[in-house]
Amino acid sequence: MEASVRRAREEPLASPNSSPRAPESSHLEAAQAIQRLVYVRDEVVPAREKLIAARRTNEALGEVGRRRPRPASASEVRQLPNATMGAFAPPHMPSTAEQDGFRPKPIYSSPSAGGGRIGKGHMRAMPTLGAKRLAKELSAGRRMEEQLKEPERTQEQRMEFVKALRIRVAQEKLVESQRREEQALRWRSIGCFCLFDVRAAFVQGACGRLLNQKEAIAVDEELMASPGFSVDQLMELAGLSVACAVATSFPLAQYSEKPQVLLICGPGNNGGDGLVAARHLHHFGYSPRVVYPKPNQKQQLFVNLVTQLSQLSVPVDATLPESMEGYCSVVDAIFGFSFSGAVRAPFDDILRRLTAPGTPPVLSVDIPSGWDVEQGPPTEGACLQPSILISLTAPKMCAAHFTGKHFLGGRFVPPSIVEKYALRLPAYPGMSQIVELPAKF
Ligand SMILES: NC(=O)C1=CN([C@@H]2O[C@H](COP(=O)(O)OP(=O)(O)OC[C@H]3O[C@@H](n4cnc5c(N)ncnc54)[C@H](O)[C@@H]3O)[C@@H](O)[C@H]2O)[C@@H](O)CC1
Ligand SMILES: [K+]
């Protein structure tokens, strides 16, 4: 059989168009054809069937049987639904090398993992954490896309929108340029030695804001209305603060004898603060003398204050002494936040005397007397220039013009008033009745 097959392979088949042949050769050809048929039947057909069967077997094994599947592209990975994220990759089929103990380094990792990249080679099932992160990124991306989608607009609406946008930009530019101009003006005024703004900022920085005349009066009324302070109470604490400011500025230890203090008291409550301060100064070891030209006889509080001073042998005069020599300080308790207009007699003369050269350092209570509560120093007449100012409760607007030593006193303001008037009062140190404010340059 094998010899006949070999022969059949070696000998070519006769062409159907070939010339007629001899009878023995036609027998021979027939025999050869039979041999070929036998060869096809025995060799070719079984081999082909074997091949087909083998292919069928492979197909039956299916995807699982594949050892090196095509790696999924990045877009394919992204398109996969979340549920299949962790399971889309085929199970890893170890190669012979791996079976021998060699573990190939995975090339593929989640694209969301830092440094992960998609490459050829082995594919591993994606880690669940990476899959979750990827899904999160994808959903965020989708959300962003939706936000970026412009809502349906007509051409007219679009033009309106652009116009409105341009107007807004122009307005913002205008506001910005105005702001810059204001800032430049401010700096220019500073350059011209107009330090008002900066000083105001200093005092405001320490106390939140400066009170105008109306607010100062309103705070006074509120202290008596809602926290229920009596005038006596407030005046006592205010006067004590004034005495403390004097004692701090002119300490007893600096003098060999009892230092003399001249207190000039006006007709109102500012004057009352002076009367109280005189009493405390006496108890502190000072030698106070009071000038009270217009004593308030109608209010018992003032009558009492004068009586208390006379019981301590503190002199209370109606006029200024001939000379102010020998006094360590003059306390100006003439006018407070209710002062207005031109100074009337007899205080006009008194203020003139206080502005004369050689006058001892003046300590003003709440407002430098003769100063406008809001505008500051007067433009006409005697202008008092105190060395020390003690603002009570909170500094008033005129304090922005003051350049000397500045104290705050009147340690009785409750949080409700601090909040209402947007004050930012500094903390009083320890048991002190006064706190120094940063007002100097
Ligand atoms: N809560 C507060 O704010 C406190 C205020 N106190 C003191 O009270 C002061 C305010 O008291 P008052 O409302 O009684 O007012 P003032 O003490 O400022 O003085 C008002 C008096 O001055 C007179 N006067 C006003 N302008 C004048 C002028 N141009 N020429 C001459 N006389 C003039 C008025 O006729 C009135 O008799 C504060 O400055 C402060 O020293 C303290 O006693 C207690 C707490
Ligand atoms: K005063």
Side-chain angles (χ1 to χ4, degrees):
M1 171 71 193
E2 279 183 13
S4 63
V5 169
R6 220 177 297 125
R7 234 178 293 129
R9 278 185 196 153
E10 283 161 11
E11 289 166 17
L13 287 166
S15 161
N17 302 324
S18 56
S19 55
R21 299 193 182 165
E24 59 271 41
S25 66
S26 61
H27 285 300
L28 188 66
E29 277 173 13
Q32 283 172 349
I34 290 162
Q35 277 175 0
R36 274 191 217 105
L37 284 171
V38 168
Y39 166 73
V40 168
R41 187 197 69 199
D42 295 345
E43 298 283 328
V44 178
V45 171
R48 189 171 168 267
E49 274 169 5
K50 229 175 164 181
L51 192 66
I52 289 165
R55 275 192 189 160
R56 275 187 190 142
T57 317
N58 275 350
E59 273 166 25
L61 281 172
E63 295 295 309
V64 180
R66 275 196 221 160
R67 290 202 173 193
R68 290 182 186 265
R70 174 180 68 81
S73 68
S75 59
E76 279 171 344
V77 170
R78 287 202 178 94
Q79 277 162 12
L80 280 163
N82 291 354
T84 61
M85 288 299 254
F88 82 95
H92 177 65
M93 301 294 285
S95 67
T96 39
E98 282 175 84
Q99 280 166 353
D100 292 341
F102 169 71
R103 296 203 129 262
K105 201 178 165 190
I107 306 169
Y108 180 84
S109 66
S110 160
S112 63
R117 65 191 176 90
I118 295 172
K120 288 176 188 171
H122 291 275
M123 286 183 70
R124 289 268 172 108
M126 288 176 69
T128 323
L129 189 65
K132 275 182 186 168
R133 229 180 272 162
L134 179 63
K136 216 172 164 185
E137 279 175 18
L138 289 173
S139 68
R142 271 196 294 275
R143 262 204 313 277
M144 204 188 290
E145 262 174 42
E146 276 162 22
Q147 280 169 8
L148 286 174
K149 258 183 219 164
E150 201 188 2
E152 283 290 314
R153 281 191 181 138
T154 64
Q155 188 62 19
E156 249 176 50
Q157 280 174 326
R158 254 190 218 120
M159 280 172 69
E160 278 296 311
F161 174 73
V162 171
K163 223 193 274 176
L165 200 70
R166 278 185 186 153
I167 291 169
R168 222 177 78 188
V169 169
Q171 278 173 340
E172 273 168 20
K173 273 186 184 170
L174 192 72
V175 169
E176 178 62 16
S177 70
Q178 276 173 347
R179 194 188 63 81
R180 285 187 184 184
E181 235 170 69
E182 274 170 23
Q183 208 175 29
L185 263 174
R186 188 163 291 189
W187 281 109
R188 223 173 292 150
S189 71
I190 289 166
C192 296
F193 302 101
C194 295
L195 292 165
F196 175 78
D197 284 345
V198 179
R199 254 197 315 269
F202 257 79
V203 183
Q204 277 173 5
C207 299
R209 58 193 290 271
L210 301 174
L211 300 177
N212 62 33
Q213 194 165 22
K214 261 190 180 173
E215 287 170 332
I217 294 168
V219 168
D220 188 30
E221 283 167 2
E222 265 186 59
L223 278 167
M224 289 190 264
S226 145
F229 282 111
S230 66
V231 191
D232 310 39
Q233 269 185 297
L234 296 174
M235 200 175 279
E236 191 62 33
L237 288 167
L240 180 61
S241 301
V242 174
C244 290
V246 173
T248 304
S249 307
F250 309 96
L252 274 180
Q254 284 183 2
Y255 303 90
S256 52
E257 288 176 11
K258 272 190 175 187
Q260 293 182 54
V261 182
L262 185 67
L263 299 110
I264 308 169
C265 302
N269 289 353
N270 197 267
D273 295 346
L275 296 173
V276 172
R279 178 164 32 86
H280 286 293
L281 280 169
H282 169 85
H283 291 298
F284 286 176
Y286 290 78
S287 177
R289 186 179 193 95
V290 173
V291 176
Y292 195 24
K294 288 228 170 219
N296 187 332
Q297 311 279 10
K298 289 178 193 163
Q299 281 180 274
Q300 193 56 42
L301 165 64
F302 290 88
V303 175
N304 290 347
L305 288 175
V306 173
T307 309
Q308 287 157 15
L309 286 172
S310 61
Q311 283 174 349
L312 296 170
S313 304
V314 174
V316 179
D317 304 324
T319 53
L320 270 184
E322 284 293 309
S323 165
M324 284 185 273
E325 210 179 310
Y327 290 96
C328 71
S329 175
V330 174
V331 173
D332 152 36
I334 304 171
F335 303 123
F337 56 62
S338 296
F339 169 81
S340 66
V343 182
R344 294 190 296 273
F347 298 103
D348 50 352
D349 261 354
I350 292 173
L351 281 177
R352 214 171 294 126
R353 286 267 321 265
L354 290 181
T355 54
T359 309
V362 174
L363 184 149
S364 283
V365 179
D366 209 16
I367 310 278
S369 292
W371 283 30
D372 185 273
V373 179
E374 294 174 7
Q375 304 302 319
T379 47
E380 282 174 14
C383 177
L384 188 67
Q385 289 294 355
S387 318
I388 305 156
L389 170 66
I390 175 163
S391 291
L392 296 170
T393 310
K396 322 297 177 288
M397 282 172 79
C398 63
H401 299 266
F402 177 72
T403 54
K405 198 172 190 173
H406 193 179
F407 291 105
L408 181 69
R411 197 174 176 178
F412 43 64
V413 189
S416 58
I417 289 180
V418 169
E419 251 173 59
K420 184 169 178 184
Y421 291 88
L423 301 171
R424 201 170 58 238
L425 302 177
Y428 285 81
M431 290 174 287
S432 181
Q433 294 300 310
I434 53 169
V435 56
E436 194 173 345
L437 302 175
K440 283 189 293 180
F441 287 95

